[in-house]
Amino acid sequence: MNVCEPIPPSVIDAFLDRTRDRCPGASVADPKGTVEDQGARWRDMGLRPGDVVALALPNGISLLRHFFGVLAAGGVPALVAPNAPAARLHRLTAALGARAIVAAHVPRDTEGLERHENHGRMHVGLFTPAGDPAANPGEVILLTSGTS
């Protein structure tokens, strides 16, 4: 198996900056700082290496910043349709063993939620860990149209 050299965070930051500059929808509500800053923020919230984070965000700079920030923290991003109904998001986060979710709305009374934060227009919910992390650091979970 061929293994690529890790991409330096500065290269990812430059890519995100160029992308933001080309996205008319980018706003002050998008996550700030470098990829390493985002990773540190996730670790400060309690994310552990291998913890799954469900990202229920529309395509755009905010999704990319959260995606790379989760990876920088050693977490495992799982891309979830942002228009999924709340009940489906709940089932998916449970099935994935997700430690956190980022979405347009995460109700504060969501079962198992230990921490809730507003990140601009997005909400971050951190669940109480149910055991050891469900995946390995650096992995990415991609759901297919048949995922229930």
Side-chain angles (χ1 to χ4, degrees):
M1 179 168 104
N2 294 333
V3 177
C4 297
E5 290 293 318
I7 298 171
S10 61
V11 172
I12 297 169
D13 290 330
F15 163 75
L16 292 173
D17 289 342
R18 282 192 310 277
T19 303
R20 183 195 61 236
D21 294 343
R22 294 172 190 247
C23 290
S27 76
V28 295
D30 293 321
K32 300 291 182 257
T34 66
V35 167
E36 289 179 330
D37 293 339
Q38 292 298 315
R41 186 174 188 180
W42 277 107
R43 285 188 298 275
D44 290 347
M45 285 182 61
L47 195 72
R48 304 167 301 174
D51 277 338
V52 174
V53 178
L55 300 175
L57 302 172
N59 293 340
I61 192 69
S62 186
L63 170 64
L64 292 172
R65 287 202 178 275
H66 281 290
F67 179 88
F68 287 112
V70 168
L71 284 173
V76 176
L79 304 175
V80 178
N83 58 350
R88 181 161 162 46
L89 287 177
H90 181 73
R91 282 193 314 273
L92 284 171
T93 56
L96 294 169
R99 177 74 198 286
I101 184 169
V102 182
H105 181 68
V106 177
R108 291 185 183 276
D109 62 351
T110 300
E111 183 181 339
L113 207 61
E114 81 175 27
R115 187 168 175 176
H116 183 280
E117 292 186 8
N118 291 337
H119 288 198
R121 295 176 297 195
M122 298 299 139
H123 293 202
V124 175
L126 191 71
F127 299 103
T128 303
D132 292 333
N136 296 309
E139 293 179 336
V140 174
I141 297 174
L142 299 174
L143 304 175
T144 63
S145 60
T147 307
S148 57

